[in-house]
Amino acid sequence: NAGVTQTPKFRILKIGQSMTLQCAQDMNHNYMYWYRQDPGMGLKLIYYSVGAGITDKGEVPNGYNVSRSTTEDFPLRLELAAPSQTSVYFCASSSDRNNEQFFGPGTRLTVL
Amino acid sequence: AQKITQTQPGMFVQEKEAVTLDCTYDTSDPSYGLFWYKQPSSGEMIFLIYQGSYDQQNATEGRYSLNFQKARKSANLVISASQLGDSAMYFCAMRDMNTGFQKLVFGTGTRLLVSP
């Protein structure tokens, strides 16, 4: 099992550009999550999904969108990138609500 | 609202000694879960240990143990026999059980440095 994979690992965007952060898991987990980690801080939940076709907002959803068309994939879309979105983005998954979350390696995004 | 507080921005320990990383939490829910994650300099988040609010005994996983004091709302991580590879950021997190979805709230972390 590859676990949770994320692409790209690094990306630099200009203000106003858009991009999609990819996340995939091969553990057949129903629950998937997107977090952002700002320097010196813990992780904050952006969006989460409890299964294909079902998504909901977390603590900091503004400026982001998600979709969950399959169990495996949970892409995060940034529209009109802003410097405040400079952060490290982590995708995670879990088998059900009682189990630990497994994290991907992260995507480091810089918006200039 | 749920909140996790880690008051130690940094901790130092010598190799082979034990160290305690503090975590206090605030919630009005009777049902919750507490997690500790390790983040090495490479950046990935590694699950270490879990404690449920109704668990009668403190959780242990190898060299990691969780000192769970429910009345004080604390869930401190104890690492015994520290190793150089334990140098990392450590995050305490709490799961909100009552929403039905596994949302984690994280503290700001403690950086642990293990010296030879």
Side-chain angles (χ1 to χ4, degrees):
Chain A
N1 283 350
V4 181
T5 58
Q6 292 182 239
T7 56
K9 289 186 178 180
F10 304 94
R11 184 73 185 267
I12 298 175
L13 283 181
K14 293 182 179 179
I15 294 172
Q17 286 185 321
S18 301
M19 77 164 293
T20 299
L21 280 64
Q22 301 293 343
C23 174
Q25 51 91 9
D26 61 359
M27 297 174 282
N28 201 33
H29 286 171
N30 285 324
Y31 293 76
M32 295 188 74
Y33 315 82
W34 275 106
Y35 293 91
R36 60 176 285 172
Q37 184 180 28
D38 298 330
M41 302 295 290
L43 279 66
K44 292 190 175 180
L45 183 66
I46 305 171
Y47 270 95
Y48 66 97
S49 169
V50 301
I54 306 171
T55 63
D56 205 350
K57 296 177 181 178
E59 299 173 79
V60 289
N62 292 343
Y64 307 94
N65 274 302
V66 294
S67 60
R68 183 96 182 270
S69 56
T70 66
T71 300
E72 294 77 20
D73 300 301
F74 190 39
L76 177 72
R77 177 82 177 161
L78 278 72
E79 305 283 0
L80 298 175
S84 61
Q85 294 178 305
T86 294
S87 191
V88 180
Y89 291 83
F90 287 97
C91 179
S93 73
S94 64
S95 58
D96 66 38
R97 62 189 184 100
N98 293 320
N99 290 345
E100 71 268 22
Q101 295 181 13
F102 295 89
F103 284 80
T107 293
R108 185 175 296 275
L109 176 67
T110 302
V111 182
L112 299 174
Chain B
Q2 295 184 327
K3 186 178 179 181
I4 292 283
T5 302
Q6 295 180 255
T7 57
Q8 306 157 314
M11 290 286 286
F12 295 89
V13 67
Q14 276 202 313
E15 200 176 7
K16 300 180 184 176
E17 291 186 347
V19 63
T20 297
L21 306 183
D22 294 341
C23 173
T24 58
Y25 59 91
D26 187 20
T27 180
S28 56
D29 297 325
S31 178
Y32 52 89
L34 295 156
F35 297 79
W36 277 92
Y37 282 86
K38 173 184 178 181
Q39 186 177 42
S41 57
S42 51
E44 71 270 30
M45 297 288 286
I46 302 168
F47 166 74
L48 295 177
I49 197 167
Y50 166 78
Q51 180 86 42
S53 59
Y54 294 119
D55 293 344
Q56 295 296 315
Q57 294 190 343
N58 288 344
T60 60
E61 288 287 347
R63 295 186 298 110
Y64 304 108
S65 60
L66 202 151
N67 184 2
F68 182 46
Q69 299 189 41
K70 198 169 182 177
R72 295 185 177 183
K73 292 188 175 180
S74 73
N76 299 338
L77 177 70
V78 180
I79 305 175
S80 62
S82 297
Q83 301 172 356
L84 296 178
D86 294 334
S87 294
M89 282 289 288
Y90 289 81
F91 290 96
C92 181
M94 179 164 58
R95 180 182 65 215
D96 177 2
M97 304 278 277
N98 288 335
T99 63
F101 304 129
Q102 191 188 30
K103 294 191 287 187
L104 288 179
V105 176
F106 283 81
T108 53
T110 296
R111 183 173 298 280
L112 176 66
L113 183 62
V114 181
S115 59

